[in-house]
């Protein structure tokens, strides 16, 4: 089919009515234009088929004496010469100079006002499918799943969030613009709809699930909350549940949600290991609206009857992949079995339980939970969580010879000490073992640096909380930790992450360095690496290559990074 546009004559001819009067031109859709062109093409083909063939004018050449090959070449040259055309006209005779179109289309001024504008210059009601596609590309949002998937948020004011939450969010807490995961996840949570959110660390996931949860509770029938739900029989029955893999992340989520609930008069209870059961019982004496918990301690509380999930129809799993890695898969499935699926009455204004899952990676256990417990979920992906975080500068120090004992390697320590001395911001130093963390702290003290604190799994919960709070409030500027601090720990202004020991799982390396370069800031990471880390050489090479970063020579040369072909 020809791609040539329909001529003005054809448009005029097609616009004449039965009385041969020129009717008002009409806009033809793409489908109509293609159909019109197709009919025209068929008409021309029919005309040619029944017309007499015209004689072909042939060019005769006089026979010349000489070499046959030379004659052939000479003939070809003359043929090419006859195919050239020469145009010799007077520029003053150009008829297109004063051209006036025969047909002028009138278009309303309002329509012209939006023609060609970017989505940011349009009103919400004027956004079309193309605008939303560009919007998602601008924020690197990918959404898929069956059924209706709500469009992302352009701004808080267009969100449909309860005005009470919106007032706290923008005026009291100063959130000016949503992050990409907030733009895409909040509308689905408000829809409401089950979702799986896949986003890198530090993307603002906490607000992405807190706002739909609070909006859901505010939408429950107020008379039910005031009279029926307030009865003593419901004192230990929360309306919403948030699960986190670590105590530190659970505490952080509770602190974030209390910024809202302090204005909304809801009670948030944190159920984590390291706290006595009596503390949990005391905290729900006046009722509980939202529970934030780690899987193991929540299971214990459910089995002891301290908490009852019979009225919990809003469930969120944060860092679900980390919970699986930590061995909580069985606990997670047990908790999901405790949760009801359908509300007991219409006071909750939903048809089924709302389940939100946030994860950095999709693993087979995650897929299994999604299939068994989520109903027709939407899948949201923000960027590529496994791609390089562009605002983090990564440096590596490779040691060919390294000891395997538990003592601190002086050469490695000297290297990280150089980095510490020239850094004027907060620093997190990661090691794989508790003993190594303690030895690093002693070594820093011997060098005259006392501005540090240590956390790992053997520290009591109280000490861990104090350590993180001191680090967050700038009482100390160096945190030495195992991977308990690799995920979910949101501390502003961490300028450098040091890996004294490379993590055994490459995914944890990504989460470690994600403690810096947060909220759009620039960050740096410095990693000590040796032949004991050979298992992560290939994924590290792929990771750096995908991010467009230069791979170190030692990494490129290593045989373990060579992909065999054939």
């Amino acid at each position: 089919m020809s791609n040539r546009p329909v001529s003005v004559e054809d448009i005029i001819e097609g616009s004449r009515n039965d009385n041969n009067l020129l009717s008002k031109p009409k806009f033809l859709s793409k489908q109509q234009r293609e159909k019109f062109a197709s009919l025209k093409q068929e008409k021309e083909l029919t005309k040619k088929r029944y017309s007499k063939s015209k004689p072909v004018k042939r060019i005769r050449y006089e026979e010349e004496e000489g070499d046959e090959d030379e004659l052939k070449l000479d003939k070809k040259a003359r043929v090419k010469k006859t195919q050239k055309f020469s145009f010799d006209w007077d520029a003053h005779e150009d008829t297109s100079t004063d051209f006036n179109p025969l047909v002028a289309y009138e278009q309303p001024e309002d329509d012209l006002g939006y023609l060609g504008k970017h989505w940011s210059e349009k009103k919400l009601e004027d956004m079309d499918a193309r605008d939303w596609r560009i919007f998602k590309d601008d924020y690197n949002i990918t959404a898929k799943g069956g059924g209706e998937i709500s469009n992302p948020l352009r701004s808080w004011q267009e969100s449909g969030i309860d005005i009470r939450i919106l007032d706290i969010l923008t005026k009291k807490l100063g959130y000016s613009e949503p992050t990409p995961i907030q733009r895409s996840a909040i509308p689905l949570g408000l829809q409401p709809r089950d979702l799986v959110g896949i986003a890198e660390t530090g993307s603002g996931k906490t607000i992405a699930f807190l706002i739909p949860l609070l909006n859901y509770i505010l939408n429950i029938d107020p008379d039910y909350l005031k009279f029926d739900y307030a009865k003593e029989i419901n004192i230990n029955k929360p309306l919403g549940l948030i699960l986190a893999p670590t105590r530190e992340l659970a505490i952080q989520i509770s602190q974030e949600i209390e910024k809202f609930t302090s204005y909304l008069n809801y009670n948030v209870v944190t159920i984590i290991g390291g706290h006595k059961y009596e503390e949990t019982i005391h905290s729900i004496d006046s009722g509980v609206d939202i529970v934030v918990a780690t899987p193991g301690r929540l299971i214990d509380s459910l089995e002891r009857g301290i908490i009852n999930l019979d009225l919990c129809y809003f469930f969120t799993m944060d860092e679900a992949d980390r919970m699986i890695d930590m061995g909580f898969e069985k606990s997670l499935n047990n908790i999901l079995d405790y949760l009801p699926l359908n509300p007991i009455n219409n006071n909750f204004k939903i048809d089924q339980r709302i389940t939100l899952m946030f994860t950095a990676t999709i693993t087979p256990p995650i897929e299994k939970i999604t299939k068994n417990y989520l109903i027709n979920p939407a899948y949201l992906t923000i960027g590529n969580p496994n791609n390089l975080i562009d605002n983090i500068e990564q440096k590596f120090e490779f040691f060919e010879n390294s000891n395997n004992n538990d003592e601190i390697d002086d050469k490695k320590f000297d290297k990280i000490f150089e980095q510490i001395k020239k850094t004027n911001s907060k620093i997190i130093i990661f090691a794989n073992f508790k003993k190594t963390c303690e030895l690093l702290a002693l070594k820093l003290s011997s060098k005259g640096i006392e501005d540090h604190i240590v956390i790992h799994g053997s520290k009591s919960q109280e000490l861990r909380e104090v350590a993180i709070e001191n680090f967050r409030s700038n009482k100390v500027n160096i945190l030495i930790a195992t991977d308990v601090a690799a995920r979910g720990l949101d501390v502003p202004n961490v300028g450098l992450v040091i890996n004294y020991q490379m993590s055994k799982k490459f995914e944890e390396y990504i989460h470690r360095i994600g403690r810096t370069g947060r909220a759009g800031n620039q960050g740096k990471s410095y990693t000590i690496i040796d032949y004991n880390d050979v298992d992560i050489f290939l994924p590290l090479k792929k990771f750096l290559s995908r991010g467009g970063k230069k791979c170190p020579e030692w990494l490129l040369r290593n045989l373990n990074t060579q992909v065999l072909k054939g």
Side-chain angles (χ1 to χ4, degrees):
M1 182 182 294
S2 174
N3 291 326
R4 290 177 60 83
V6 181
S7 66
V8 174
E9 291 78 12
D10 289 335
I11 295 175
I12 296 174
E13 185 65 29
S15 300
R16 295 186 184 280
N17 57 25
D18 295 337
N19 297 322
N20 204 33
L21 296 175
L22 189 63
S23 60
K24 186 177 179 179
K26 294 188 298 183
F27 173 76
L28 297 178
S29 67
K30 182 180 178 181
Q31 186 177 4
Q32 290 172 323
R33 293 196 303 273
E34 290 177 348
K35 183 177 180 181
F36 188 88
S38 178
L39 291 172
K40 180 183 176 183
Q41 188 179 29
E42 290 181 8
K43 185 177 180 181
E44 290 175 352
L45 288 173
T46 303
K47 187 185 295 183
K48 288 180 180 180
R49 190 177 296 120
Y50 291 98
S51 62
K52 292 183 178 180
S53 299
K54 294 182 179 180
V56 179
K57 185 176 181 180
R58 301 184 181 275
I59 301 174
R60 293 183 175 272
Y61 299 96
E62 295 180 1
E63 293 296 330
E64 298 180 13
E65 296 182 0
D67 185 73
E68 186 178 347
D69 291 336
E70 288 181 2
L71 289 175
K72 287 182 180 179
L73 289 171
D74 188 41
K75 287 182 180 181
K76 286 182 181 179
R78 280 182 287 181
V79 169
K80 286 184 178 180
K81 186 174 180 180
T82 59
Q83 290 175 346
K84 293 181 180 179
F85 296 91
S86 176
F87 298 95
D88 185 20
W89 62 53
D90 190 342
H92 297 290
E93 296 178 0
D94 186 359
T95 58
S96 66
T97 306
D98 299 320
F99 172 73
N100 290 315
L102 297 175
V103 179
Y105 288 94
E106 294 183 1
Q107 194 169 10
E109 186 177 349
D110 289 342
D111 289 340
L112 286 171
Y114 287 103
L115 190 63
K117 285 189 175 181
H118 189 260
W119 62 262
S120 59
E121 300 174 321
K122 291 187 176 184
K123 294 179 181 179
L124 181 61
E125 58 269 22
D126 295 313
M127 293 280 285
D128 56 26
R130 179 178 178 274
D131 293 323
W132 285 117
R133 187 171 64 253
I134 294 172
F135 178 91
K136 292 175 183 176
D137 287 343
D138 287 348
Y139 289 101
N140 215 352
I141 297 170
T142 303
K144 63 180 182 179
E148 179 187 358
I149 296 181
S150 301
N151 288 319
L153 299 181
R154 303 198 313 169
S155 68
W156 293 124
Q157 289 68 31
E158 296 176 351
S159 63
I161 299 170
D162 189 288
I163 189 64
R164 291 166 286 184
I165 301 174
L166 206 57
D167 185 67
I168 299 168
L169 185 73
T170 57
K171 296 180 180 178
K172 293 183 170 62
L173 301 181
Y175 284 88
S176 57
E177 289 290 332
T179 65
I181 188 63
Q182 292 163 6
R183 291 180 187 275
S184 54
I186 289 174
L188 289 170
L190 298 177
Q191 192 174 348
R193 177 170 183 175
D194 288 2
L195 70 88
V196 178
I198 307 165
E200 65 187 21
T201 183
S203 58
K205 292 180 289 184
T206 304
I207 293 296
F209 59 74
L210 289 188
I211 289 179
L213 168 58
L214 294 171
N215 205 86
Y216 158 74
I217 295 175
L218 286 171
N219 198 45
I220 296 173
D221 187 284
D223 289 334
Y224 171 79
L225 293 176
K226 185 177 180 180
F227 299 107
D228 292 354
Y229 181 64
K231 292 178 180 178
E232 188 174 354
I233 192 175
N234 295 325
I235 197 170
N236 67 338
K237 297 179 181 179
L239 300 169
L241 170 64
I242 301 168
L243 273 188
T246 64
R247 304 171 187 179
E248 287 73 25
L249 181 55
I251 292 170
Q252 186 172 289
I253 293 171
S254 294
Q255 292 171 343
E256 193 69 27
I257 199 169
E258 283 169 358
K259 295 176 183 178
F260 293 87
T261 56
S262 60
Y263 295 102
L264 299 172
N265 199 30
Y266 293 144
N267 188 25
V268 181
V269 173
T270 308
I271 302 177
I272 58 176
H275 290 181
K276 296 180 179 179
Y277 289 105
E278 288 77 8
E279 294 179 36
T280 303
I281 294 171
H282 177 71
S283 64
I284 64 174
D285 278 347
S286 57
V288 54
D289 300 299
I290 300 169
V291 165
V292 183
T294 50
R297 181 49 68 97
L298 180 61
I299 285 290
D300 290 343
S301 299
L302 290 169
E303 291 175 349
R304 293 167 185 258
I306 298 172
I307 289 293
N308 187 311
L309 299 179
D310 285 352
L311 299 177
C312 185
Y313 299 109
F314 201 108
F315 176 48
T316 299
M317 292 171 275
D318 193 17
E319 301 280 8
D321 55 334
R322 177 64 171 159
M323 285 191 268
I324 299 297
D325 290 342
M326 295 175 67
F328 288 130
E329 183 177 359
K330 184 178 179 181
S331 298
L332 199 55
N333 285 310
N334 288 342
I335 292 167
L336 283 157
D337 289 334
Y338 271 102
L339 289 163
L341 182 59
N342 302 112
I344 56 175
N345 53 53
N346 59 3
N347 293 316
F348 297 90
K349 300 182 181 179
I350 56 172
D351 298 325
Q352 62 192 32
R353 183 186 70 226
I354 305 163
T355 305
L356 311 183
M357 176 191 287
F358 291 86
T359 179
T361 56
I362 295 291
T363 59
I366 294 294
E367 290 180 343
K368 185 178 178 181
I369 291 172
T370 303
K371 182 179 179 180
N372 291 342
Y373 295 102
L374 274 66
I375 300 173
N376 190 28
Y379 289 83
L380 299 175
T381 303
I382 307 302
N384 186 341
N386 292 322
N387 274 359
L388 186 66
I389 304 171
D390 291 332
N391 56 342
I392 299 176
E393 178 187 350
Q394 298 175 84
K395 291 185 178 180
F396 302 90
E397 194 74 44
F398 180 67
F399 284 78
E400 290 192 3
N401 300 316
S402 178
N403 55 40
N404 287 321
N405 58 39
D406 294 333
E407 300 301 320
I408 299 298
D409 187 305
D410 289 336
K411 292 182 180 179
K412 290 183 178 180
F413 181 82
D414 289 342
K415 288 293 184 180
I416 70 168
F417 190 67
E418 289 176 11
Q419 299 296 319
I420 293 170
K421 286 192 296 184
K422 63 183 182 183
T423 302
N424 297 320
S425 57
K426 292 179 182 177
I427 301 170
I428 300 179
I429 303 174
F430 283 105
N432 294 338
F433 307 106
K434 304 168 190 177
K435 182 179 179 180
T436 308
C437 291
E438 298 289 354
L439 290 174
L440 284 170
L442 290 173
K443 193 78 171 176
L444 285 175
S445 296
S446 70
K447 293 285 188 178
I449 296 180
E450 300 288 350
D451 188 23
H452 57 76
I453 201 161
V454 177
I455 65 170
H456 50 65
S458 292
K459 295 281 186 179
S460 69
Q461 184 59 34
E462 182 179 359
L463 288 176
R464 287 160 70 173
E465 291 175 23
V466 170
I468 291 174
E469 185 55 38
N470 287 341
F471 185 56
R472 185 178 279 118
S473 60
N474 299 319
K475 291 181 180 178
V476 295
N477 286 318
I478 300 176
L479 177 67
I480 306 171
T482 57
D483 281 337
V484 297
R487 296 205 191 198
L489 184 63
D490 187 15
V491 177
N493 304 318
V494 174
L496 174 65
V497 168
I498 294 175
N499 292 301
Y500 176 76
Q501 294 170 320
M502 184 63 168
S503 55
K504 296 303 179 184
K505 290 186 177 181
F506 183 72
E507 292 77 10
E508 292 307 312
Y509 167 75
I510 300 174
H511 288 287
R512 283 183 181 186
I513 67 173
R515 299 309 99 201
T516 184
R518 299 171 76 84
N521 296 319
Q522 294 298 310
K524 294 181 179 180
S525 71
Y526 181 83
T527 301
I528 299 289
I529 198 165
D530 57 41
Y531 280 121
N532 294 320
D533 307 310
V534 69
D535 288 343
I536 59 88
F537 281 11
L538 183 56
L540 177 61
K541 178 186 174 183
K542 291 180 178 178
F543 178 71
L544 295 173
S545 299
R546 283 199 302 264
K549 298 294 183 179
K550 183 179 179 181
C551 291
E553 283 297 322
W554 58 264
L555 187 61
L556 291 173
R557 292 195 309 266
N558 192 274
L559 292 176
N560 293 279
T561 65
Q562 310 305 312
V563 179
L564 299 177
K565 297 181 179 180

